[in-house]
Amino acid sequence: MSMDVDVDDDLLQAPSDQEYPVLERQPSYYNPLNTFVCANGERKHYQQQFADIYFLRLAKLKPAVEAIAHEEWKDFEVAGEKVRRIDRVLDVRQGELSWVAGTVYMEMPLKPNILDDISKDHWISAPPPREKFLSPTGQDQIMLEDESGRLRLIGTTLQLSILVTGCIIAVMGTENADGDFEVVDLKVPDLPRQPQRWERDEGSAILSSSASKKRKSNAVEKRIQGGKVAIVSGLRISSDRGDTMTLDLLMEYLLGEACGPADQAEVSRISRLIIAGNSIAEGTPLAVREEEKKASKRYGYDSSAYNHAPTTHLDNFLATLLPSLPITLIPGETDPANVSMPQQPLHPAMLPRSRNYCAAPGSNEPGWFDSVTNPWEGDVDGWRMMGTGGQPIDDVFKYVEGDDRLEMMESLLRWRCGAPTAPDTLWSYPFQDRDPFVIEECPHVYFVGNQPRYETMVIDGPAGQTVRLICVPVFRHTGEVILLDTDTLETEIVRFTVYEDNKS
């Protein structure tokens, strides 16, 4: 049987002589900080007390909150009585109008305690983790403490503010006959000093050697405007092959392979990819056969139950992107890193293909692939950025009513503490010489990964600071990646959706 086929004139033709523009990836100006890097080897141990972190935090932030409180309340008086500053919380006197600064401690019966761990050791079924620590019967109490002792706080003013264990505040009021301090007003340290854009890069260029100074000054002159930074979190790569479709779409988009010419020009403006935690799904061991279940129980590392597929998939995903796009990898709660904050970088041995793009051992320059800590801060295209995998905000969520994640993020910045609930209900390393969670300089961008949904807003500080807050959603659930414009700090969403036929 024969069939006539109409062929358009433009279907078959000679090769075109038209020249297409070659797109080059926007360069990334990247200068990370090592604020949260912990000591290694014998210098890292857990013999010291965790309480030292709170004393270090109070010593660091108390002068700042006292300066704000003094400026605000120095002329305050009630019925002719002027307010008086008190040095220690136990020096507060009944009926005297005064103000004092200290550390907040939330006495909450529903918070985790050591009995839960004991019940697990004795194979007693432990209660499931609570979504909130708030007591439905109103048994929660707010304390203010310092090196001298604790003072219970009461008053309607406290209900209008977000307070969690570990934040430093100053309160004004009077002590009643029951020994409780009735709060009239409270102050927080508020946003610290914010560096100017390119301040740290230009400062390092001035202090560097002449040859390095010349290279950095040339880089400053060649800065290109119009770049973007892609931020994603919650890839949650598992051993299931069914979760690779959206990852492939993301990969092809970032490489410019799934776009037309116009979209490729936009993608070429993406200068860096930041992965904000939970790149790997919750640990799932390999399926055990019935005869293996009857075998004797093994303790420690069991190579037969180890599933290397998730890390292999992550390594392949990163190695495909890295020749074209620099990547910053922040660990998260489900990633193979230490549990206590600050989480240290994922070890390069887990990513054999991607580690070829890491910095050379002993180098002071960051690599094309930078596996960093959680929390992390650094300068990207001149802007100071700070980000986490989401654990500090998720823990603060348990202390407060509601689910306004942006308000929680704003509170953390105004408290000048990136993880106030550590080490009370958020596991942390027991620092003795400094509290790395104290925010020394205000970031321009603060992003938090693995949040329920995408949200963003801009907050202002008393000295003209402006901070862009970004809640980065879980990519596995939403298929969303955030693009941050490095000129305007405006954000946009790119969403990937895979059609699923649910018909039986």
Side-chain angles (χ1 to χ4, degrees), residues 70-114:
H70 173 74
E71 184 66 26
E72 186 70 21
W73 298 331
K74 61 182 178 180
D75 299 325
F76 187 86
E77 61 179 50
V78 175
E81 179 186 6
K82 297 194 66 173
V83 65
R84 190 169 71 93
R85 174 182 175 271
I86 303 298
D87 292 330
R88 307 189 310 164
V89 296
L90 291 189
D91 292 337
V92 173
R93 294 294 176 260
Q94 180 179 337
E96 183 180 282
L97 182 64
S98 58
W99 66 268
V100 64
T103 306
V104 172
Y105 176 76
M106 305 294 291
E107 183 67 42
M108 310 177 82
L110 298 184
K111 284 198 304 184
N113 57 64
I114 189 63

Side-chain angles (χ1 to χ4, degrees), residues 270-287:
I270 301 176
S271 60
R272 176 167 293 273
L273 171 65
I274 299 178
I275 304 177
N278 291 7
S279 300
I280 294 178
E282 199 81 43
T284 53
L286 293 173

